[in-house]
Amino acid sequence: MTAYVLGHKIPDSDSICGAISLAYLKNAIGEQAVPVRQGELNPESAFILDKFGIEAPELKTAFAGEEVYIVDYSDLAQGPDDLRQATILGIVDHHKLGDMTTSAPLECWIRPVGCSNTIIKEMYDYYNVEIPAHIAGIMMCAILSDTVIFKSPTCTEIDIKAVEALAKIAGIDDYKAFGVEMFKVKSQVEGTPARELVMRDFKDFDMSGKLVGIGQLETVDLSVFDSIKAELEADIAKLKAEGNRHSVCLLLTDIMKEGSELLVASDDPALIEAAFASKLSDNKAWLEGVLSRKKQVVPPLEKAFA
Ligand code: MG
Ligand code: MG
Ligand code: MG
């Protein structure tokens, strides 16, 4: 039976590149596996696949009765709607443990590193499988993206070593310059509808029974938002009003200044203020040093909601 390898909904580069790199490894060790995606490619992922001449995975969002490998999450809310009806053969992830369970033993590669592709690199080493140059290239890009070119507090020595090794295989001399080029692509927001930007890298979290949505836009220069910030603020308020979310947060991250502006639409703004120990002014706050949703935003919010 062919297994599908899939990342989370609203796929980022780690989810897309990880599905491809893990499926390649599985085939190399004699298991049939096909990478699939859970949504449209973001501009950064499209740029990466184009650079290394790799086709985007097929869109497939229903998995009842199928066998799957999960990459880059273990929260049911971030997966396909019928995931409970699929057989999860394995999980490769670098987030907090979510609420997925299985009825049979599974292969689990979960580590506190900066990127799922760092773990997949370790899997290639473990199975002694050679990584082709184009696969190494996309794995390198995913790690540079997730670790914000090593600036994120989620980045570890293992991630840096993995990038150095992958860059060598891919034939990229200056991987940092390559990373900046990638983030410049990511920073292009002009002409994109506000809702599309809010949802570009958006995750829902169940926080003590309350649904909290958190989006993040990473740029090399926050001034790109000057002309559209009011629209983004209006849109997160609208998004909250449309659904059953208690709060919607949007992080506008400046990877050069190394901090994020937090935009908030919440039923209880005081709770958000308590989480970050900072006053919201006009539903906004500057969070100095905050680059990582996973490590610096979700944990304090979960604590405040508990
Ligand atoms: Mg991800
Ligand atoms: Mg990731
Ligand atoms: Mg990210």
Side-chain angles (χ1 to χ4, degrees):
M1 189 168 175
T2 298
Y4 293 96
V5 186
L6 53 128
H8 51 75
K9 280 179 178 165
I10 312 177
D12 57 7
S13 297
D14 193 20
S15 272
I16 293 293
C17 301
I20 295 168
S21 59
L22 182 58
Y24 184 93
L25 172 65
K26 286 291 168 189
N27 284 293
I29 59 173
E31 287 181 50
Q32 277 179 39
V34 174
V36 290
R37 63 184 162 89
Q38 300 308 294
E40 288 308 307
L41 290 192
N42 67 34
E44 182 194 65
S45 303
F47 168 84
I48 294 169
L49 295 189
D50 185 57
K51 271 276 174 198
F52 293 98
I54 295 180
E55 292 275 317
E58 292 285 320
L59 180 73
K60 176 176 168 65
T61 56
F63 297 93
E66 310 275 19
E67 295 185 332
V68 298
Y69 284 100
I70 300 296
V71 179
D72 201 31
Y73 68 108
S74 66
D75 280 310
L76 282 169
Q78 290 167 26
D81 297 338
D82 65 355
L83 190 55
R84 281 175 210 270
Q85 279 108 60
T87 303
I88 299 174
L89 298 180
I91 300 174
V92 179
D93 188 32
H94 66 123
H95 294 81
K96 75 179 175 69
L97 189 59
D99 54 0
M100 276 180 203
T101 57
T102 61
S103 48
L106 81 163
E107 183 184 345
C108 228
W109 297 73
I110 300 180
R111 302 234 208 300
V113 291
C115 183
S116 303
N117 273 276
T118 299
I119 304 169
I120 297 170
K121 163 74 170 67
E122 294 186 309
M123 294 173 73
Y124 273 85
D125 294 344
Y126 176 84
Y127 288 108
N128 207 9
V129 169
E130 206 174 306
I131 310 176
H134 64 301
I135 301 280
I138 65 169
M139 292 171 74
M140 175 198 78
C141 287
I143 303 170
L144 290 171
S145 171
D146 261 12
T147 62
V148 194
I149 320 177
F150 308 155
K151 289 182 181 186
S152 171
T154 59
C155 185
T156 68
E157 208 49 49
I158 304 167
D159 298 294
I160 297 170
K161 289 258 158 61
V163 165
E164 286 170 349
L166 292 165
K168 208 171 212 177
I169 299 167
I172 306 284
D173 292 330
D174 190 347
Y175 59 78
K176 284 201 177 167
F178 197 95
V180 171
E181 193 188 342
M182 197 175 76
F183 273 92
K184 280 188 181 148
V185 171
K186 206 172 198 173
S187 303
Q188 283 162 16
V189 297
E190 219 174 301
T192 309
R195 179 57 57 91
E196 205 179 308
L197 291 174
V198 170
M199 300 309 291
R200 186 172 275 176
D201 178 6
F202 189 89
K203 284 181 183 169
D204 276 317
F205 298 87
D206 179 332
M207 298 202 181
S208 304
K210 304 236 168 37
L211 191 61
V212 179
I214 309 170
Q216 183 174 28
L217 292 166
E218 293 164 320
T219 69
V220 288
D221 181 3
L222 269 198
S223 68
V224 298
F225 296 116
D226 286 354
S227 59
I228 51 167
K229 200 180 291 173
E231 271 179 74
L232 293 173
E233 291 178 65
D235 194 70
I236 61 169
K238 199 165 151 238
L239 182 63
K240 189 179 88 63
E242 283 164 14
N244 52 349
R245 293 186 183 89
H246 174 280
S247 302
V248 177
C249 299
L250 183 63
L251 291 157
L252 306 180
T253 299
D254 188 320
I255 71 162
M256 297 303 181
K257 287 201 193 97
E258 304 194 19
S260 297
E261 182 168 31
L262 177 72
L263 313 186
V264 177
S266 176
D267 289 339
D268 188 357
L271 206 60
I272 312 287
E273 291 185 327
F276 298 106
S278 50
K279 274 262 160 251
L280 291 171
S281 147
D282 201 14
N283 289 315
K284 292 189 283 289
W286 171 255
L287 304 178
E288 183 67 31
V290 169
L291 292 172
S292 167
R293 171 173 50 198
K294 178 198 296 99
K295 208 161 180 171
Q296 296 167 297
V297 177
V298 174
L301 279 174
E302 283 192 322
K303 213 167 150 199
F305 275 82

Short mmCIF file of all heavy atoms in Angstrom, two decimals, residues 70-124:
data_model
loop_
_atom_site.label_atom_id
_atom_site.label_comp_id
_atom_site.label_asym_id
_atom_site.label_seq_id
_atom_site.Cartn_x
_atom_site.Cartn_y
_atom_site.Cartn_z
N ILE A 70 3.01 11.81 8.99
CA ILE A 70 2.74 13.21 9.32
C ILE A 70 4.06 13.94 9.54
O ILE A 70 4.93 13.44 10.25
CB ILE A 70 1.90 13.27 10.63
CG1 ILE A 70 0.58 12.53 10.46
CG2 ILE A 70 1.69 14.71 11.08
CD1 ILE A 70 -0.36 13.10 9.45
N VAL A 71 4.19 15.11 8.92
CA VAL A 71 5.40 15.92 9.08
C VAL A 71 5.04 17.31 9.60
O VAL A 71 4.12 17.95 9.11
CB VAL A 71 6.13 16.09 7.71
CG1 VAL A 71 7.37 16.96 7.87
CG2 VAL A 71 6.51 14.75 7.13
N ASP A 72 5.75 17.76 10.62
CA ASP A 72 5.71 19.16 11.08
C ASP A 72 4.52 19.51 11.98
O ASP A 72 4.23 20.68 12.16
CB ASP A 72 5.78 20.11 9.87
CG ASP A 72 6.25 21.52 10.24
OD1 ASP A 72 7.04 21.64 11.18
OD2 ASP A 72 5.81 22.48 9.58
N TYR A 73 3.85 18.54 12.57
CA TYR A 73 2.80 18.83 13.56
C TYR A 73 2.32 17.51 14.17
O TYR A 73 2.57 16.44 13.61
CB TYR A 73 1.60 19.55 12.94
CG TYR A 73 0.77 18.74 11.96
CD1 TYR A 73 -0.50 18.28 12.29
CD2 TYR A 73 1.28 18.43 10.71
CE1 TYR A 73 -1.25 17.54 11.39
CE2 TYR A 73 0.53 17.68 9.80
CZ TYR A 73 -0.73 17.24 10.15
OH TYR A 73 -1.45 16.49 9.26
N SER A 74 1.64 17.62 15.31
CA SER A 74 0.94 16.44 15.83
C SER A 74 -0.38 16.85 16.49
O SER A 74 -0.92 16.13 17.31
CB SER A 74 1.84 15.67 16.83
OG SER A 74 2.08 16.45 17.98
N ASP A 75 -0.86 18.04 16.10
CA ASP A 75 -2.17 18.52 16.56
C ASP A 75 -3.23 18.16 15.52
O ASP A 75 -3.08 18.51 14.35
CB ASP A 75 -2.17 20.05 16.69
CG ASP A 75 -1.53 20.54 17.97
OD1 ASP A 75 -1.91 20.03 19.04
OD2 ASP A 75 -0.67 21.42 17.90
N LEU A 76 -4.29 17.49 15.95
CA LEU A 76 -5.35 17.10 15.00
C LEU A 76 -5.92 18.32 14.27
O LEU A 76 -6.25 18.26 13.09
CB LEU A 76 -6.47 16.36 15.73
CG LEU A 76 -6.18 14.90 16.08
CD1 LEU A 76 -7.24 14.36 17.03
CD2 LEU A 76 -6.11 14.04 14.82
N ALA A 77 -6.02 19.45 14.99
CA ALA A 77 -6.63 20.66 14.40
C ALA A 77 -5.87 21.14 13.18
O ALA A 77 -6.43 21.83 12.33
CB ALA A 77 -6.70 21.77 15.44
N GLN A 78 -4.59 20.78 13.08
CA GLN A 78 -3.78 21.25 11.95
C GLN A 78 -3.74 20.27 10.79
O GLN A 78 -3.12 20.53 9.76
CB GLN A 78 -2.36 21.57 12.43
CG GLN A 78 -2.33 22.80 13.33
CD GLN A 78 -1.02 22.95 14.07
OE1 GLN A 78 0.00 22.47 13.61
NE2 GLN A 78 -1.05 23.61 15.20
N GLY A 79 -4.42 19.14 10.95
CA GLY A 79 -4.39 18.11 9.91
C GLY A 79 -5.66 18.06 9.10
O GLY A 79 -6.60 18.82 9.35
N PRO A 80 -5.70 17.14 8.13
CA PRO A 80 -6.92 16.96 7.33
C PRO A 80 -8.10 16.55 8.23
O PRO A 80 -7.91 15.92 9.27
CB PRO A 80 -6.56 15.86 6.35
CG PRO A 80 -5.31 15.23 6.87
CD PRO A 80 -4.62 16.24 7.70
N ASP A 81 -9.31 16.91 7.80
CA ASP A 81 -10.49 16.72 8.66
C ASP A 81 -10.76 15.26 9.00
O ASP A 81 -11.28 14.97 10.07
CB ASP A 81 -11.71 17.35 7.99
CG ASP A 81 -11.54 18.86 7.84
OD1 ASP A 81 -10.73 19.43 8.60
OD2 ASP A 81 -12.20 19.44 6.96
N ASP A 82 -10.40 14.33 8.08
CA ASP A 82 -10.72 12.92 8.34
C ASP A 82 -9.50 12.12 8.81
O ASP A 82 -9.45 10.90 8.65
CB ASP A 82 -11.34 12.27 7.10
CG ASP A 82 -10.37 12.22 5.92
OD1 ASP A 82 -9.25 12.78 6.04
OD2 ASP A 82 -10.74 11.63 4.89
N LEU A 83 -8.54 12.81 9.40
CA LEU A 83 -7.29 12.14 9.81
C LEU A 83 -7.54 10.98 10.78
O LEU A 83 -6.83 9.98 10.77
CB LEU A 83 -6.33 13.16 10.44
CG LEU A 83 -4.90 12.69 10.70
CD1 LEU A 83 -4.24 12.14 9.45
CD2 LEU A 83 -4.05 13.81 11.28
N ARG A 84 -8.58 11.09 11.61
CA ARG A 84 -8.89 10.02 12.56
C ARG A 84 -9.23 8.71 11.85
O ARG A 84 -9.13 7.63 12.44
CB ARG A 84 -10.08 10.40 13.44
CG ARG A 84 -9.73 11.34 14.57
CD ARG A 84 -11.03 11.71 15.28
NE ARG A 84 -10.98 13.03 15.88
CZ ARG A 84 -10.58 13.28 17.11
NH1 ARG A 84 -10.21 12.30 17.88
NH2 ARG A 84 -10.54 14.51 17.58
N GLN A 85 -9.67 8.81 10.59
CA GLN A 85 -10.02 7.59 9.83
C GLN A 85 -8.84 7.03 9.04
O GLN A 85 -8.99 6.08 8.28
CB GLN A 85 -11.19 7.87 8.88
CG GLN A 85 -12.55 7.83 9.56
CD GLN A 85 -13.14 9.22 9.69
OE1 GLN A 85 -13.35 9.89 8.69
NE2 GLN A 85 -13.39 9.65 10.91
N ALA A 86 -7.68 7.66 9.19
CA ALA A 86 -6.48 7.18 8.51
C ALA A 86 -5.59 6.42 9.49
O ALA A 86 -5.76 6.54 10.70
CB ALA A 86 -5.72 8.36 7.92
N THR A 87 -4.68 5.62 8.96
CA THR A 87 -3.69 4.96 9.81
C THR A 87 -2.41 5.78 9.80
O THR A 87 -1.78 5.94 8.75
CB THR A 87 -3.38 3.54 9.28
OG1 THR A 87 -4.61 2.81 9.23
CG2 THR A 87 -2.40 2.82 10.18
N ILE A 88 -2.03 6.30 10.96
CA ILE A 88 -0.80 7.09 11.03
C ILE A 88 0.38 6.14 11.25
O ILE A 88 0.49 5.50 12.29
CB ILE A 88 -0.87 8.13 12.17
CG1 ILE A 88 -2.04 9.10 11.94
CG2 ILE A 88 0.45 8.89 12.27
CD1 ILE A 88 -2.29 10.07 13.09
N LEU A 89 1.24 6.04 10.22
CA LEU A 89 2.40 5.14 10.31
C LEU A 89 3.54 5.79 11.07
O LEU A 89 4.36 5.11 11.67
CB LEU A 89 2.88 4.76 8.91
CG LEU A 89 1.91 3.98 8.02
CD1 LEU A 89 2.56 3.69 6.67
CD2 LEU A 89 1.48 2.68 8.69
N GLY A 90 3.59 7.13 11.00
CA GLY A 90 4.69 7.81 11.67
C GLY A 90 4.50 9.30 11.74
O GLY A 90 3.69 9.87 11.01
N ILE A 91 5.23 9.92 12.67
CA ILE A 91 5.21 11.38 12.83
C ILE A 91 6.67 11.86 12.90
O ILE A 91 7.48 11.29 13.62
CB ILE A 91 4.49 11.80 14.13
CG1 ILE A 91 3.03 11.32 14.14
CG2 ILE A 91 4.54 13.33 14.32
CD1 ILE A 91 2.29 11.57 15.46
N VAL A 92 6.97 12.89 12.11
CA VAL A 92 8.27 13.56 12.20
C VAL A 92 7.98 15.02 12.52
O VAL A 92 7.34 15.71 11.73
CB VAL A 92 9.04 13.47 10.86
CG1 VAL A 92 10.38 14.20 10.97
CG2 VAL A 92 9.24 12.01 10.45
N ASP A 93 8.41 15.47 13.69
CA ASP A 93 7.98 16.81 14.10
C ASP A 93 8.94 17.46 15.09
O ASP A 93 9.74 16.79 15.73
CB ASP A 93 6.57 16.74 14.71
CG ASP A 93 5.99 18.12 14.98
OD1 ASP A 93 6.30 19.06 14.23
OD2 ASP A 93 5.23 18.27 15.95
N HIS A 94 8.80 18.79 15.20
CA HIS A 94 9.64 19.55 16.13
C HIS A 94 8.80 20.53 16.95
O HIS A 94 9.31 21.56 17.39
CB HIS A 94 10.77 20.28 15.37
CG HIS A 94 10.29 21.35 14.44
ND1 HIS A 94 10.71 22.65 14.52
CD2 HIS A 94 9.41 21.32 13.40
CE1 HIS A 94 10.12 23.38 13.58
NE2 HIS A 94 9.33 22.59 12.88
N HIS A 95 7.52 20.24 17.11
CA HIS A 95 6.63 21.09 17.93
C HIS A 95 6.30 20.37 19.24
O HIS A 95 6.62 19.21 19.42
CB HIS A 95 5.33 21.39 17.18
CG HIS A 95 5.52 22.23 15.96
ND1 HIS A 95 5.92 21.69 14.76
CD2 HIS A 95 5.38 23.56 15.76
CE1 HIS A 95 6.01 22.66 13.86
NE2 HIS A 95 5.69 23.80 14.43
N LYS A 96 5.58 21.09 20.09
CA LYS A 96 5.06 20.44 21.29
C LYS A 96 4.17 19.28 20.86
O LYS A 96 3.57 19.31 19.79
CB LYS A 96 4.25 21.44 22.12
CG LYS A 96 2.87 21.75 21.54
CD LYS A 96 2.13 22.73 22.43
CE LYS A 96 0.81 23.13 21.80
NZ LYS A 96 -0.19 22.06 21.73
N LEU A 97 4.13 18.25 21.69
CA LEU A 97 3.32 17.09 21.36
C LEU A 97 1.84 17.48 21.36
O LEU A 97 1.36 18.11 22.28
CB LEU A 97 3.59 16.00 22.41
CG LEU A 97 2.99 14.63 22.14
CD1 LEU A 97 3.50 14.05 20.82
CD2 LEU A 97 3.34 13.69 23.29
N GLY A 98 1.16 17.11 20.27
CA GLY A 98 -0.25 17.46 20.15
C GLY A 98 -1.16 16.34 20.62
O GLY A 98 -0.75 15.51 21.44
N ASP A 99 -2.36 16.29 20.04
CA ASP A 99 -3.37 15.35 20.54
C ASP A 99 -3.64 14.17 19.61
O ASP A 99 -4.67 13.51 19.72
CB ASP A 99 -4.67 16.10 20.84
CG ASP A 99 -5.16 16.90 19.64
OD1 ASP A 99 -4.49 16.89 18.58
OD2 ASP A 99 -6.21 17.56 19.75
N MET A 100 -2.73 13.89 18.68
CA MET A 100 -2.91 12.71 17.82
C MET A 100 -2.68 11.45 18.64
O MET A 100 -1.77 11.39 19.45
CB MET A 100 -1.86 12.71 16.70
CG MET A 100 -2.25 13.54 15.52
SD MET A 100 -0.95 13.45 14.28
CE MET A 100 -1.29 14.97 13.41
N THR A 101 -3.54 10.45 18.39
CA THR A 101 -3.27 9.13 18.98
C THR A 101 -3.40 8.10 17.87
O THR A 101 -3.94 8.39 16.80
CB THR A 101 -4.28 8.77 20.10
OG1 THR A 101 -5.59 8.84 19.54
CG2 THR A 101 -4.19 9.72 21.26
N THR A 102 -2.90 6.90 18.11
CA THR A 102 -3.00 5.85 17.10
C THR A 102 -3.48 4.57 17.76
O THR A 102 -3.40 4.42 18.99
CB THR A 102 -1.63 5.58 16.44
OG1 THR A 102 -0.72 5.14 17.45
CG2 THR A 102 -1.08 6.82 15.77
N SER A 103 -3.99 3.64 16.93
CA SER A 103 -4.43 2.36 17.48
C SER A 103 -3.36 1.29 17.30
O SER A 103 -3.50 0.19 17.80
CB SER A 103 -5.74 1.92 16.81
OG SER A 103 -5.60 2.04 15.42
N ALA A 104 -2.29 1.63 16.58
CA ALA A 104 -1.19 0.69 16.39
C ALA A 104 0.12 1.41 16.66
O ALA A 104 0.16 2.64 16.63
CB ALA A 104 -1.21 0.15 14.96
N PRO A 105 1.19 0.66 16.94
CA PRO A 105 2.48 1.32 17.17
C PRO A 105 2.88 2.15 15.95
O PRO A 105 2.54 1.79 14.83
CB PRO A 105 3.45 0.15 17.37
CG PRO A 105 2.59 -1.00 17.76
CD PRO A 105 1.29 -0.80 17.05
N LEU A 106 3.58 3.22 16.20
CA LEU A 106 3.99 4.07 15.08
C LEU A 106 5.45 4.45 15.21
O LEU A 106 6.05 4.30 16.28
CB LEU A 106 3.12 5.33 14.98
CG LEU A 106 3.47 6.50 15.92
CD1 LEU A 106 2.81 7.76 15.43
CD2 LEU A 106 3.05 6.19 17.34
N GLU A 107 5.98 4.92 14.08
CA GLU A 107 7.34 5.41 14.06
C GLU A 107 7.30 6.88 14.46
O GLU A 107 6.55 7.65 13.88
CB GLU A 107 7.85 5.26 12.62
CG GLU A 107 9.27 5.65 12.40
CD GLU A 107 9.63 5.56 10.91
OE1 GLU A 107 8.88 4.94 10.13
OE2 GLU A 107 10.65 6.13 10.54
N CYS A 108 8.08 7.27 15.46
CA CYS A 108 7.98 8.63 15.95
C CYS A 108 9.36 9.28 16.01
O CYS A 108 10.25 8.78 16.69
CB CYS A 108 7.38 8.60 17.36
SG CYS A 108 6.06 9.75 17.57
N TRP A 109 9.51 10.36 15.28
CA TRP A 109 10.76 11.11 15.31
C TRP A 109 10.42 12.54 15.73
O TRP A 109 10.12 13.38 14.88
CB TRP A 109 11.43 11.13 13.94
CG TRP A 109 11.85 9.80 13.39
CD1 TRP A 109 11.04 8.82 12.90
CD2 TRP A 109 13.19 9.31 13.25
NE1 TRP A 109 11.80 7.75 12.46
CE2 TRP A 109 13.11 8.03 12.66
CE3 TRP A 109 14.46 9.84 13.55
CZ2 TRP A 109 14.25 7.27 12.37
CZ3 TRP A 109 15.59 9.08 13.26
CH2 TRP A 109 15.47 7.81 12.68
N ILE A 110 10.39 12.79 17.00
CA ILE A 110 10.05 14.12 17.49
C ILE A 110 11.21 14.63 18.34
O ILE A 110 11.65 13.95 19.27
CB ILE A 110 8.74 14.10 18.31
CG1 ILE A 110 7.58 13.59 17.43
CG2 ILE A 110 8.42 15.49 18.87
CD1 ILE A 110 6.23 13.52 18.13
N ARG A 111 11.73 15.81 17.97
CA ARG A 111 12.89 16.35 18.67
C ARG A 111 12.76 17.86 18.79
O ARG A 111 12.22 18.51 17.90
CB ARG A 111 14.16 16.12 17.84
CG ARG A 111 14.47 14.70 17.51
CD ARG A 111 15.89 14.38 17.97
NE ARG A 111 16.49 13.33 17.17
CZ ARG A 111 16.01 12.11 17.07
NH1 ARG A 111 14.89 11.79 17.67
NH2 ARG A 111 16.63 11.20 16.35
N PRO A 112 13.32 18.42 19.86
CA PRO A 112 13.28 19.89 20.00
C PRO A 112 14.38 20.57 19.20
O PRO A 112 15.32 21.12 19.74
CB PRO A 112 13.48 20.09 21.52
CG PRO A 112 14.30 18.91 21.94
CD PRO A 112 13.93 17.78 21.03
N VAL A 113 14.26 20.52 17.87
CA VAL A 113 15.19 21.24 17.00
C VAL A 113 14.40 22.28 16.23
O VAL A 113 13.19 22.42 16.40
CB VAL A 113 15.93 20.26 16.04
CG1 VAL A 113 16.87 19.37 16.80
CG2 VAL A 113 14.94 19.45 15.21
N GLY A 114 15.06 23.01 15.35
CA GLY A 114 14.43 24.15 14.70
C GLY A 114 13.54 23.83 13.52
O GLY A 114 12.79 24.69 13.05
N CYS A 115 13.61 22.60 13.02
CA CYS A 115 12.89 22.31 11.77
C CYS A 115 12.72 20.80 11.59
O CYS A 115 13.60 20.02 11.95
CB CYS A 115 13.72 22.87 10.60
SG CYS A 115 12.95 22.68 8.98
N SER A 116 11.59 20.40 11.01
CA SER A 116 11.36 18.97 10.74
C SER A 116 12.41 18.42 9.77
O SER A 116 12.81 17.26 9.86
CB SER A 116 9.98 18.75 10.13
OG SER A 116 8.98 19.25 10.97
N ASN A 117 12.84 19.26 8.84
CA ASN A 117 13.82 18.79 7.85
C ASN A 117 15.18 18.49 8.47
O ASN A 117 15.95 17.71 7.93
CB ASN A 117 13.93 19.78 6.68
CG ASN A 117 12.89 19.48 5.61
OD1 ASN A 117 13.09 18.64 4.74
ND2 ASN A 117 11.75 20.14 5.70
N THR A 118 15.47 19.10 9.62
CA THR A 118 16.69 18.75 10.35
C THR A 118 16.59 17.30 10.84
O THR A 118 17.55 16.52 10.76
CB THR A 118 16.88 19.70 11.56
OG1 THR A 118 16.99 21.04 11.06
CG2 THR A 118 18.10 19.33 12.37
N ILE A 119 15.41 16.93 11.30
CA ILE A 119 15.19 15.56 11.77
C ILE A 119 15.24 14.60 10.58
O ILE A 119 15.81 13.50 10.67
CB ILE A 119 13.84 15.45 12.51
CG1 ILE A 119 13.80 16.47 13.67
CG2 ILE A 119 13.63 14.03 13.04
CD1 ILE A 119 12.43 16.63 14.30
N ILE A 120 14.67 15.02 9.45
CA ILE A 120 14.68 14.16 8.26
C ILE A 120 16.12 13.95 7.78
O ILE A 120 16.49 12.85 7.37
CB ILE A 120 13.78 14.74 7.15
CG1 ILE A 120 12.31 14.78 7.65
CG2 ILE A 120 13.88 13.92 5.86
CD1 ILE A 120 11.35 15.53 6.76
N LYS A 121 16.95 15.00 7.92
CA LYS A 121 18.38 14.84 7.60
C LYS A 121 19.00 13.76 8.49
O LYS A 121 19.76 12.91 8.03
CB LYS A 121 19.10 16.19 7.78
CG LYS A 121 20.62 16.14 7.90
CD LYS A 121 21.27 15.87 6.56
CE LYS A 121 22.79 16.04 6.58
NZ LYS A 121 23.51 15.05 7.40
N GLU A 122 18.64 13.76 9.77
CA GLU A 122 19.15 12.73 10.68
C GLU A 122 18.64 11.34 10.27
O GLU A 122 19.33 10.34 10.43
CB GLU A 122 18.71 13.02 12.12
CG GLU A 122 19.32 14.29 12.68
CD GLU A 122 19.00 14.50 14.16
OE1 GLU A 122 17.81 14.41 14.52
OE2 GLU A 122 19.94 14.72 14.95
N MET A 123 17.41 11.30 9.74
CA MET A 123 16.86 10.02 9.28
C MET A 123 17.64 9.49 8.07
O MET A 123 17.92 8.29 7.98
CB MET A 123 15.37 10.16 8.94
CG MET A 123 14.50 10.49 10.15
SD MET A 123 12.78 10.85 9.69
CE MET A 123 12.18 9.20 9.28
N TYR A 124 17.99 10.38 7.15
CA TYR A 124 18.82 9.97 6.00
C TYR A 124 20.14 9.38 6.50
O TYR A 124 20.60 8.35 6.02
CB TYR A 124 19.11 11.15 5.07
CG TYR A 124 18.06 11.42 4.00
CD1 TYR A 124 16.94 12.20 4.28
CD2 TYR A 124 18.18 10.90 2.71
CE1 TYR A 124 15.98 12.47 3.33
CE2 TYR A 124 17.23 11.16 1.73
CZ TYR A 124 16.13 11.95 2.04
OH TYR A 124 15.19 12.20 1.07
#
